[in-house]
Structures are given as C-alpha cells and as structure tokens.
Amino acid sequence: MLFDEKTLEPLYKLHLGQAGSSFTFEVAQKNGIPFGLINRAKKKIEGSKVRFDKTIATLQKERSKLEKTSQTLKEEESKAREESKKMESINAKIQDKLERYQELYDANQRLIYMGQKIDDIAEKYFNNKDKKTLIGDFLKLVEIENSKRKKISAKEKKVKEIVEKKIIEEVKEKVEEIRVEKKEKKIKAQKIEAEKPKVTLKVGDRVRMNDGKAIGTIDKIERIKQRLTMVFLLLK
C-alpha cells in the first residue's frame, strides 16, 4: 500500500508483487514518539533490516514522485492536444475568411476593370460620335464578361448573395475598427503635442515654418490685434 512521502497518509493504491515499506519509524516520529526511543528501537533490530526498510521507503518515495510527474506530463499532453485542435480550428476559420476576402477582392477588381473599359468606350464615343462603334464595343465587352460567367440556380445565387453580404459587412466592421483606432491615435498625438511646453521666442532665434522646411532667423516681433506676428529673414 503506497503512502504519501510528505504526509505519510495512505494513497489507497495497491501495487501487487512489489515490496513496500511500513514507514514504521517515520510514522512513530510523526505521532510524537520521542526520538531517543525510536533510536533505541532501531538498535534492537538488525542493521541490515533497517537499511533494507529505508531503501524500500526511498524507492517508494521515488515511485510516488515519478507517478506524479507522469500524471503531470499526461495532463500537459492533454492540454497540448486541446490547444493544437483549437489552433487547427482557428487556422481553418482564418483560411476560410482569407479565401472569401480574396473572392470579394477579385470581384471588386473585375468591376473596376469593367468600369475602366466602359470609360474608355465612352471617351472614344465622345471623340468620334460613332454610335455603331459604341454599340459594337459595348456588346463585345458584355460578351467577353458573359463568357466568364457560370450558370447557377436561383438557390445557389441566393446563397452566394448572402455570403457576399456577410463578407462585406465583416470588411466594413474591420475598416471601421481601423478608422476608430487611427482617429484615437491621432487625437492622442495631438494631445501630446498640445501638452508640450511652449517655447518663448525672441529676436535672433532660428526657427522653421510649420508648413515648410525653410529655416530663418526672427528679425523682429510685433503684436497686432492680440496676435503675435514674426518677421523672418530666410537664410539662403
């Protein structure tokens, strides 16, 4: 019967066919038996028996530690498997989103291309006023685009529209989050800039204009209608 090596409480685990220690002296010491009496008891039995019992006790302690380590490793392995499954699920979702975003991007690029082609046709008609050529070019563009289309059922079309709508909403949400984040950063930067200590300028100081890279020297400072006006002599 195994015991906990620290508390000496029984673990209620039976190992058949394996020698075990009774922890006689350890239990006696734990229960308040005087140390001197325990030593006299040890001397009355054979030394080899004491060493054997001590060796068994040590082995049992080591076995208990190994079992705890093994249990910890099993738990860590189980956690690692769960984390691996979670990561696989997350990666699959990310991959699915990327594919849907790519489809949306390709669709938008196709619309941009068609818009450019229609603009080219419109500009061509604007210059030559040839309606026959206009109709021909437009029909040619339509035929080319229709050759790329695939016939789908009304049900498939409806599902596709729902998916596209969902993707567009997701993209809009992400874009809005980025806009809010950029706005917050800009406000924070402006606040930091406003909190910077103001520099008192005087005649002779070298300065640079806010809206340019030109550097000059302050020639004189005048106050006109409560506003500070500075005259600069730009350095060549």
Side-chain angles (χ1 to χ4, degrees):
M1 182 66 70
L2 295 181
F3 285 81
D4 187 284
E5 70 275 7
K6 293 182 179 179
T7 64
L8 295 179
E9 295 291 334
L11 298 176
Y12 302 102
K13 291 183 180 179
L14 182 64
H15 281 261
L16 297 175
Q18 296 185 22
S21 172
S22 61
F23 291 96
T24 304
F25 300 116
E26 289 85 355
V27 173
Q29 186 176 350
K30 182 183 176 184
N31 285 277
I33 304 299
F35 192 70
L37 183 60
I38 294 173
N39 277 338
R40 289 200 298 272
K42 286 182 179 180
K43 291 177 181 178
K44 288 184 178 293
I45 62 175
E46 296 178 7
S48 58
K49 184 178 180 181
V50 175
R51 288 194 298 272
F52 179 70
D53 192 68
K54 186 177 180 181
T55 301
I56 291 175
T58 302
L59 289 173
Q60 190 167 330
K61 290 178 182 179
E62 292 297 327
R63 186 189 299 122
S64 179
K65 289 180 181 178
L66 288 173
E67 286 180 351
K68 287 182 179 180
T69 303
S70 177
Q71 182 64 29
T72 302
L73 289 174
K74 286 180 180 178
E75 291 174 358
E76 292 295 330
E77 185 181 359
S78 177
K79 288 180 182 179
R81 284 198 297 268
E82 290 178 3
E83 290 296 326
S84 178
K85 288 180 180 179
K86 287 181 182 178
M87 289 302 298
E88 287 178 2
S89 176
I90 291 171
N91 287 335
K93 290 179 181 179
I94 292 173
Q95 184 63 32
D96 181 59
K97 279 191 175 183
L98 287 174
E99 289 175 359
R100 287 187 291 159
Y101 288 166
Q102 184 64 47
E103 290 175 1
L104 178 62
Y105 174 79
D106 292 341
N108 288 335
Q109 288 297 109
R110 184 177 64 84
L111 292 176
I112 292 171
Y113 169 76
M114 289 182 64
Q116 290 174 342
K117 295 297 292 183
I118 291 173
D119 185 65
D120 292 342
I121 294 171
E123 185 178 1
K124 185 177 180 181
Y125 175 72
F126 178 78
N127 292 326
N128 59 27
K129 305 297 182 183
D130 188 345
K131 291 184 178 180
K132 185 177 180 180
T133 302
L134 170 67
I135 295 171
D137 290 342
F138 185 74
L139 287 175
K140 184 178 178 181
L141 176 63
V142 172
E143 288 174 357
I144 292 172
E145 289 303 316
N146 282 340
S147 66
K148 300 175 185 178
R149 299 178 188 272
K150 295 180 181 179
K151 289 186 177 181
I152 58 176
S153 64
K155 185 178 180 180
E156 289 175 334
K157 185 178 180 181
K158 187 175 181 180
V159 172
K160 186 179 179 182
E161 288 175 351
I162 292 172
V163 172
E164 287 179 352
K165 185 178 179 181
K166 185 178 179 181
I167 296 170
I168 292 171
E169 288 175 354
E170 288 179 357
V171 172
K172 285 182 178 178
E173 186 178 346
K174 293 294 181 184
V175 170
E176 185 60 28
E177 288 178 1
I178 294 171
R179 284 176 179 170
V180 171
E181 186 178 351
K182 288 179 70 176
K183 187 176 180 181
E184 289 177 352
K185 287 182 178 179
K186 185 177 180 180
I187 293 172
K188 187 177 180 181
Q190 290 175 345
K191 187 177 179 182
I192 293 172
E193 186 68 25
E195 290 176 352
K196 287 183 178 180
K198 301 295 182 180
V199 179
T200 303
L201 299 174
K202 59 184 183 297
V203 175
D205 286 346
R206 288 167 58 83
V207 294
R208 185 177 63 188
M209 301 295 291
N210 289 330
D211 56 351
K213 296 183 178 180
I215 298 175
T217 302
I218 298 176
D219 183 56
K220 64 179 179 178
I221 300 175
E222 298 176 351
R223 289 188 179 274
I224 303 175
K225 295 183 181 180
Q226 302 300 321
R227 295 182 61 186
L228 186 64
T229 303
M230 290 174 286
V231 180
F232 299 95
L233 293 177
L234 295 181
L235 299 178
K236 295 183 179 179

